[in-house]
Amino acid sequence: MFANILLAIGLVCIIEGLVYALAPSLIEELLEALRNLSLEMRRTFGLLVLVLGVCFLLAARALGAG
């Protein structure tokens, strides 16, 4: 279980690092776009991403991961 948590955190760090290393100006544009959204829209977007992440985890588990 702990190994899976470390694996997940490591993968997130790799993806985040790649985004910042390969497209730092895109991050600035994304932050500006998020700043222009209302608080309620950002909250809804966050909840949708959360649900999508849970769906990915359930699908991976169903396919035999972890």
Side-chain angles (χ1 to χ4, degrees):
M1 175 73 170
F2 185 67
N4 287 339
I5 292 171
L6 285 178
L7 177 65
I9 292 171
L11 289 172
V12 168
C13 289
I14 289 170
I15 292 169
E16 288 287 327
L18 278 174
V19 172
Y20 282 107
L22 299 177
S25 62
L26 188 61
I27 294 295
E28 290 178 14
E29 292 174 23
L30 177 62
L31 289 173
E32 184 63 34
L34 284 172
R35 203 173 287 124
N36 292 330
L37 290 176
S38 70
L39 184 62
E40 191 60 35
M41 288 286 288
R42 283 184 268 170
R43 183 172 284 122
T44 301
F45 180 71
L47 288 172
L48 287 174
V49 171
L50 174 71
V51 169
L52 182 64
V54 170
C55 289
F56 282 162
L57 289 177
L58 291 173
R61 202 147 179 84
L63 292 171

